[in-house]
Amino acid sequence: MNLGKYPVLLAPMEDVTDQAFRLMCKQFGADMVYTEFVSSDALIRHVNKTKEKLVISDEERPVVIQIYGKDPAAMREAAQICETSHPDIIDLNFGCPVKKVAGKGAGAGMLRNIPLMLEITREVVKAVEVPVTVKTRLGWDHENKIIVELAEALQDCGIAALAIHGRTRNQMYTGEADWTLIGEVKNNPRMHIPIIGNGDITSAETAKEKLDRYGVDGIMVGRAAIGRPWIFREIKHFLETGTALLPLSPVFQLECLKEVVKESVGRLDERRGILHIRRHLAASPLFKGINNFKETRIAMLRAETMAALFAIMDTIPEKITESHEKNNL
């Protein structure tokens, strides 16, 4: 699969990378997008909410369905179910650090049971025809950064690519991502599969710096894309031209966020769609630095209808202008 000279991928994120958001990121230049985490146990029990995560469209291709779990048989069956949705890739989540996943031995919890991780990987690779990839972390904790040896073992299981988040499970999302070991994996002469780097890609400049310094085959953007799907356009433009993209207008950015709201509401319903999208509104950098914005933010996150929410959002360009004028005095 050719993703171009500078592959930039949207990381899988629970309650974030639903289809509406994936499509928006794709429109802004994401070269590949990932679904939310899909529980293998829930999928083989045919839980409707989980099966809904398998809905993908041709417009978002290439698209990856990511599954997690700790039982080889369940992961094998779940992968086969996923294959019926015709994803371009099936990815194995061995990196999610949250307690409800890792604490039960799945996700990054697999970093404490490498033999089981490798067994699951081999089973899934044998079970499906589509390429299988893995996303994981440096190790469980600072004393157990095992990624260099683990990468070779995973490659031997037959995976097509490996994405590495530059933190341990114990770090969660704190501190700085350590890319040195990601670079070590990439530069290991025994490695021949693509290595994707993940962690702290927050701007076009950091994306280029990581690509240049560590030589990875691609980069993955996670939390920095929440409420900011246009980051992919910024990164791609900088990588291709060496110059920064002119800032997108606040009105344009607001319209993008409105589109994500509309898609979410259309996919779910008004109440659930707005609830689902509040995380994007809360995290968007568009609202940072606006003077006296607290009340507007609270009102925006409490709005229960699209009409009420959009009425509040329509007042924001004026507030941004006022803030700029006041700050430049």
Side-chain angles (χ1 to χ4, degrees):
M1 184 183 299
N2 183 7
L3 297 179
K5 187 176 180 181
Y6 305 110
V8 183
L9 286 59
L10 171 66
M13 291 177 282
E14 184 64 11
D15 294 327
V16 175
T17 55
D18 60 10
Q19 189 177 47
F21 189 65
R22 297 196 304 267
L23 284 166
M24 180 67 72
C25 292
K26 189 70 180 178
Q27 290 166 17
F28 278 110
D31 293 297
M32 191 157 71
V33 297
Y34 288 61
T35 65
E36 300 171 82
F37 316 153
V38 177
S39 164
S40 58
D41 291 338
L43 193 56
I44 66 174
R45 295 200 311 269
H46 303 288
V47 175
N48 285 334
K49 187 176 180 181
T50 300
K51 290 172 71 176
E52 288 173 1
K53 293 181 179 181
L54 303 187
V55 177
I56 57 179
S57 65
D58 286 340
E59 289 77 16
E60 55 187 306
R61 293 189 185 280
V63 58
V64 184
I65 294 178
Q66 190 190 68
I67 60 175
Y68 73 92
K70 62 179 182 179
D71 179 73
M75 287 287 279
R76 179 188 179 98
E77 184 179 348
Q80 291 171 328
I81 294 171
C82 290
E83 194 170 30
T84 64
S85 292
H86 306 294
D88 296 279
I89 291 171
I90 292 173
D91 188 72
L92 307 182
N93 178 337
F94 297 144
C96 178
V98 299
K99 189 174 182 179
K100 69 177 183 179
V101 176
K104 295 179 179 177
M110 280 288 163
L111 289 163
R112 302 181 88 178
N113 192 341
I114 300 305
L116 182 58
M117 178 195 290
L118 299 179
E119 180 186 354
I120 287 172
T121 305
R122 285 190 294 266
E123 286 296 311
V124 173
V125 168
K126 287 190 297 184
V128 296
E129 295 296 324
V130 298
V132 175
T133 59
V134 164
K135 185 171 189 289
T136 189
R137 290 184 167 233
L138 302 180
W140 179 259
D141 55 27
H142 182 73
E143 288 72 36
N144 294 280
K145 293 183 178 179
I146 58 173
I147 190 59
V148 177
E149 299 82 7
L150 176 59
E152 286 191 46
L154 287 167
Q155 178 177 259
D156 290 343
C157 293
I159 63 172
L162 174 63
I164 305 169
H165 183 113
R167 290 181 173 87
T168 65
R169 186 273 168 181
N170 275 7
Q171 280 184 274
M172 302 291 285
Y173 296 102
T174 62
E176 289 186 13
D178 177 7
W179 278 68
T180 56
L181 287 176
I182 300 176
E184 197 171 324
V185 172
K186 173 57 192 172
N187 293 311
N188 180 349
R190 291 184 291 275
M191 295 298 296
H192 55 78
I193 60 173
I195 303 300
I196 310 300
N198 176 221
D200 295 348
I201 302 295
T202 57
S203 68
E205 291 77 11
T206 56
K208 180 168 174 50
E209 188 266 333
K210 301 303 186 192
L211 277 168
D212 289 347
R213 178 181 293 189
Y214 300 103
V216 291
D217 300 285
I219 56 168
M220 184 177 279
V221 182
R223 290 170 295 155
I226 302 175
R228 187 187 171 192
W230 49 86
I231 190 174
F232 292 97
R233 180 180 291 180
E234 295 169 351
I235 291 174
K236 296 294 285 188
H237 183 273
F238 192 80
L239 291 177
E240 291 166 3
T241 69
T243 60
L245 186 70
L246 291 174
L248 301 173
S249 73
V251 171
F252 180 85
Q253 294 180 37
L254 279 170
E255 288 304 313
C256 291
L257 294 178
K258 283 183 179 180
E259 284 302 314
V260 177
V261 173
K262 291 175 185 175
E263 291 283 351
S264 182
V265 167
R267 187 176 62 87
L268 300 168
D269 55 48
E270 190 163 44
R271 184 186 68 82
R272 290 188 301 153
I274 289 174
L275 280 172
H276 183 78
I277 218 66
R278 281 176 178 168
R279 183 170 181 179
H280 293 276
L281 299 178
S284 181
L286 172 61
F287 310 127
K288 291 179 180 177
I290 303 177
N291 296 334
N292 304 313
F293 192 68
K294 183 177 179 180
E295 289 187 8
T296 304
R297 184 187 299 276
I298 292 171
M300 189 168 58
L301 298 179
R302 286 179 176 172
E304 297 182 352
T305 66
M306 275 205 301
L309 176 58
F310 288 177
I312 296 166
M313 293 175 74
D314 287 341
T315 69
I316 292 174
E318 184 177 349
K319 295 179 186 295
I320 293 174
T321 301
E322 291 173 355
S323 289
H324 286 171
E325 290 174 350
K326 185 175 181 178
N327 294 335
N328 290 328
L329 288 178

Short mmCIF file of all heavy atoms in Angstrom, two decimals, residues 101-132:
data_model
loop_
_atom_site.label_atom_id
_atom_site.label_comp_id
_atom_site.label_asym_id
_atom_site.label_seq_id
_atom_site.Cartn_x
_atom_site.Cartn_y
_atom_site.Cartn_z
N VAL A 101 -9.00 -1.12 30.23
CA VAL A 101 -8.47 -2.00 29.17
C VAL A 101 -7.19 -2.68 29.64
O VAL A 101 -7.11 -3.90 29.77
CB VAL A 101 -8.23 -1.21 27.87
CG1 VAL A 101 -7.58 -2.10 26.81
CG2 VAL A 101 -9.54 -0.64 27.33
N ALA A 102 -6.16 -1.87 29.91
CA ALA A 102 -4.86 -2.42 30.29
C ALA A 102 -4.91 -3.15 31.63
O ALA A 102 -4.22 -4.15 31.83
CB ALA A 102 -3.81 -1.31 30.34
N GLY A 103 -5.75 -2.64 32.54
CA GLY A 103 -5.86 -3.28 33.85
C GLY A 103 -6.43 -4.68 33.80
O GLY A 103 -6.24 -5.47 34.72
N LYS A 104 -7.11 -4.99 32.70
CA LYS A 104 -7.69 -6.32 32.53
C LYS A 104 -6.83 -7.20 31.62
O LYS A 104 -7.25 -8.28 31.22
CB LYS A 104 -9.10 -6.19 31.95
CG LYS A 104 -10.07 -5.49 32.90
CD LYS A 104 -11.45 -5.35 32.28
CE LYS A 104 -12.42 -4.66 33.24
NZ LYS A 104 -13.76 -4.45 32.62
N GLY A 105 -5.64 -6.71 31.30
CA GLY A 105 -4.71 -7.52 30.52
C GLY A 105 -4.75 -7.30 29.03
O GLY A 105 -3.94 -7.88 28.30
N ALA A 106 -5.67 -6.45 28.54
CA ALA A 106 -5.73 -6.16 27.11
C ALA A 106 -4.99 -4.86 26.82
O ALA A 106 -4.42 -4.24 27.72
CB ALA A 106 -7.18 -6.08 26.65
N GLY A 107 -4.98 -4.41 25.57
CA GLY A 107 -4.30 -3.17 25.23
C GLY A 107 -2.85 -3.22 25.68
O GLY A 107 -2.13 -4.19 25.44
N ALA A 108 -2.41 -2.16 26.37
CA ALA A 108 -1.03 -2.11 26.87
C ALA A 108 -0.78 -3.15 27.95
O ALA A 108 0.37 -3.45 28.26
CB ALA A 108 -0.72 -0.71 27.40
N GLY A 109 -1.84 -3.72 28.50
CA GLY A 109 -1.68 -4.81 29.47
C GLY A 109 -0.94 -5.99 28.88
O GLY A 109 -0.32 -6.78 29.60
N MET A 110 -1.01 -6.12 27.55
CA MET A 110 -0.30 -7.21 26.88
C MET A 110 1.22 -7.10 27.02
O MET A 110 1.94 -8.07 26.84
CB MET A 110 -0.65 -7.22 25.39
CG MET A 110 -1.98 -7.87 25.07
SD MET A 110 -1.86 -9.64 25.29
CE MET A 110 -3.59 -10.05 25.38
N LEU A 111 1.70 -5.90 27.35
CA LEU A 111 3.14 -5.71 27.53
C LEU A 111 3.67 -6.44 28.76
O LEU A 111 4.87 -6.52 28.97
CB LEU A 111 3.46 -4.21 27.62
CG LEU A 111 3.30 -3.46 26.29
CD1 LEU A 111 3.21 -1.96 26.54
CD2 LEU A 111 4.45 -3.79 25.33
N ARG A 112 2.77 -6.99 29.57
CA ARG A 112 3.17 -7.79 30.72
C ARG A 112 3.04 -9.29 30.44
O ARG A 112 3.31 -10.11 31.31
CB ARG A 112 2.30 -7.42 31.94
CG ARG A 112 2.38 -5.96 32.31
CD ARG A 112 1.55 -5.63 33.51
NE ARG A 112 2.31 -5.82 34.75
CZ ARG A 112 1.84 -5.57 35.97
NH1 ARG A 112 0.60 -5.11 36.11
NH2 ARG A 112 2.58 -5.77 37.02
N ASN A 113 2.61 -9.61 29.22
CA ASN A 113 2.46 -11.02 28.84
C ASN A 113 2.82 -11.16 27.36
O ASN A 113 1.96 -11.37 26.51
CB ASN A 113 1.03 -11.50 29.11
CG ASN A 113 0.90 -13.01 29.01
OD1 ASN A 113 1.75 -13.68 28.44
ND2 ASN A 113 -0.17 -13.54 29.57
N ILE A 114 4.10 -11.03 27.08
CA ILE A 114 4.57 -11.03 25.69
C ILE A 114 4.25 -12.35 24.97
O ILE A 114 3.85 -12.33 23.80
CB ILE A 114 6.08 -10.70 25.62
CG1 ILE A 114 6.33 -9.32 26.23
CG2 ILE A 114 6.57 -10.76 24.17
CD1 ILE A 114 5.52 -8.20 25.62
N PRO A 115 4.43 -13.52 25.61
CA PRO A 115 4.07 -14.76 24.90
C PRO A 115 2.62 -14.77 24.42
O PRO A 115 2.33 -15.22 23.29
CB PRO A 115 4.32 -15.85 25.94
CG PRO A 115 5.40 -15.27 26.82
CD PRO A 115 5.06 -13.82 26.92
N LEU A 116 1.71 -14.25 25.24
CA LEU A 116 0.30 -14.20 24.84
C LEU A 116 0.11 -13.19 23.72
O LEU A 116 -0.65 -13.43 22.77
CB LEU A 116 -0.58 -13.85 26.04
CG LEU A 116 -2.09 -13.80 25.77
CD1 LEU A 116 -2.59 -15.14 25.24
CD2 LEU A 116 -2.84 -13.41 27.04
N MET A 117 0.78 -12.05 23.81
CA MET A 117 0.70 -11.04 22.75
C MET A 117 1.12 -11.64 21.41
O MET A 117 0.44 -11.46 20.39
CB MET A 117 1.60 -9.84 23.06
CG MET A 117 1.60 -8.78 21.97
SD MET A 117 2.95 -7.58 22.10
CE MET A 117 2.47 -6.66 23.55
N LEU A 118 2.21 -12.39 21.42
CA LEU A 118 2.71 -12.98 20.18
C LEU A 118 1.79 -14.08 19.67
O LEU A 118 1.59 -14.23 18.46
CB LEU A 118 4.13 -13.51 20.38
CG LEU A 118 5.18 -12.45 20.80
CD1 LEU A 118 6.53 -13.12 21.00
CD2 LEU A 118 5.27 -11.33 19.77
N GLU A 119 1.22 -14.84 20.60
CA GLU A 119 0.27 -15.88 20.19
C GLU A 119 -0.95 -15.27 19.50
O GLU A 119 -1.40 -15.75 18.45
CB GLU A 119 -0.18 -16.70 21.41
CG GLU A 119 -1.17 -17.81 21.04
CD GLU A 119 -1.73 -18.54 22.27
OE1 GLU A 119 -1.26 -18.27 23.40
OE2 GLU A 119 -2.64 -19.37 22.08
N ILE A 120 -1.49 -14.21 20.10
CA ILE A 120 -2.64 -13.53 19.50
C ILE A 120 -2.28 -13.00 18.12
O ILE A 120 -3.04 -13.15 17.15
CB ILE A 120 -3.11 -12.38 20.42
CG1 ILE A 120 -3.83 -12.95 21.65
CG2 ILE A 120 -4.03 -11.42 19.66
CD1 ILE A 120 -4.17 -11.91 22.70
N THR A 121 -1.11 -12.39 18.01
CA THR A 121 -0.69 -11.83 16.72
C THR A 121 -0.60 -12.92 15.67
O THR A 121 -1.11 -12.76 14.54
CB THR A 121 0.66 -11.11 16.88
OG1 THR A 121 0.55 -10.14 17.92
CG2 THR A 121 1.05 -10.42 15.59
N ARG A 122 0.03 -14.03 15.99
CA ARG A 122 0.14 -15.12 15.02
C ARG A 122 -1.23 -15.65 14.62
O ARG A 122 -1.49 -15.92 13.44
CB ARG A 122 0.98 -16.26 15.61
CG ARG A 122 2.49 -15.97 15.65
CD ARG A 122 3.27 -17.23 16.01
NE ARG A 122 2.99 -17.66 17.38
CZ ARG A 122 3.72 -17.31 18.44
NH1 ARG A 122 4.78 -16.52 18.29
NH2 ARG A 122 3.41 -17.75 19.64
N GLU A 123 -2.13 -15.81 15.60
CA GLU A 123 -3.46 -16.35 15.33
C GLU A 123 -4.25 -15.44 14.39
O GLU A 123 -4.92 -15.90 13.46
CB GLU A 123 -4.22 -16.55 16.64
CG GLU A 123 -3.76 -17.74 17.45
CD GLU A 123 -3.99 -19.05 16.72
OE1 GLU A 123 -5.10 -19.28 16.23
OE2 GLU A 123 -3.03 -19.85 16.62
N VAL A 124 -4.18 -14.13 14.64
CA VAL A 124 -4.94 -13.19 13.80
C VAL A 124 -4.35 -13.13 12.40
O VAL A 124 -5.08 -13.13 11.40
CB VAL A 124 -4.98 -11.79 14.45
CG1 VAL A 124 -5.62 -10.78 13.49
CG2 VAL A 124 -5.77 -11.84 15.76
N VAL A 125 -3.03 -13.10 12.29
CA VAL A 125 -2.39 -13.08 10.97
C VAL A 125 -2.82 -14.29 10.15
O VAL A 125 -3.10 -14.17 8.94
CB VAL A 125 -0.85 -13.03 11.12
CG1 VAL A 125 -0.18 -13.29 9.77
CG2 VAL A 125 -0.40 -11.67 11.67
N LYS A 126 -2.89 -15.46 10.78
CA LYS A 126 -3.29 -16.68 10.07
C LYS A 126 -4.78 -16.67 9.72
O LYS A 126 -5.19 -17.31 8.74
CB LYS A 126 -2.99 -17.91 10.92
CG LYS A 126 -1.52 -18.26 11.04
CD LYS A 126 -1.30 -19.61 11.70
CE LYS A 126 -1.82 -19.62 13.14
NZ LYS A 126 -1.53 -20.92 13.81
N ALA A 127 -5.58 -15.94 10.50
CA ALA A 127 -7.04 -16.04 10.38
C ALA A 127 -7.63 -15.20 9.28
O ALA A 127 -8.75 -15.45 8.83
CB ALA A 127 -7.69 -15.66 11.71
N VAL A 128 -6.92 -14.17 8.82
CA VAL A 128 -7.50 -13.23 7.85
C VAL A 128 -6.60 -13.07 6.64
O VAL A 128 -5.41 -13.37 6.69
CB VAL A 128 -7.76 -11.85 8.50
CG1 VAL A 128 -8.80 -11.96 9.61
CG2 VAL A 128 -6.46 -11.23 9.04
N GLU A 129 -7.20 -12.56 5.56
CA GLU A 129 -6.46 -12.33 4.32
C GLU A 129 -5.90 -10.91 4.26
O GLU A 129 -4.90 -10.68 3.58
CB GLU A 129 -7.39 -12.56 3.12
CG GLU A 129 -7.86 -13.99 2.97
CD GLU A 129 -6.74 -14.97 2.69
OE1 GLU A 129 -5.79 -14.60 1.97
OE2 GLU A 129 -6.79 -16.10 3.22
N VAL A 130 -6.55 -9.96 4.93
CA VAL A 130 -6.08 -8.57 4.87
C VAL A 130 -4.81 -8.43 5.71
O VAL A 130 -4.57 -9.23 6.63
CB VAL A 130 -7.15 -7.58 5.37
CG1 VAL A 130 -8.39 -7.64 4.50
CG2 VAL A 130 -7.50 -7.83 6.83
N PRO A 131 -3.98 -7.42 5.43
CA PRO A 131 -2.79 -7.20 6.25
C PRO A 131 -3.15 -6.93 7.71
O PRO A 131 -4.19 -6.32 8.00
CB PRO A 131 -2.15 -5.97 5.61
CG PRO A 131 -2.70 -5.91 4.23
CD PRO A 131 -4.08 -6.46 4.32
N VAL A 132 -2.30 -7.39 8.60
CA VAL A 132 -2.48 -7.17 10.04
C VAL A 132 -1.31 -6.33 10.54
O VAL A 132 -0.14 -6.60 10.20
CB VAL A 132 -2.53 -8.50 10.81
CG1 VAL A 132 -2.59 -8.26 12.32
CG2 VAL A 132 -3.73 -9.33 10.35
#
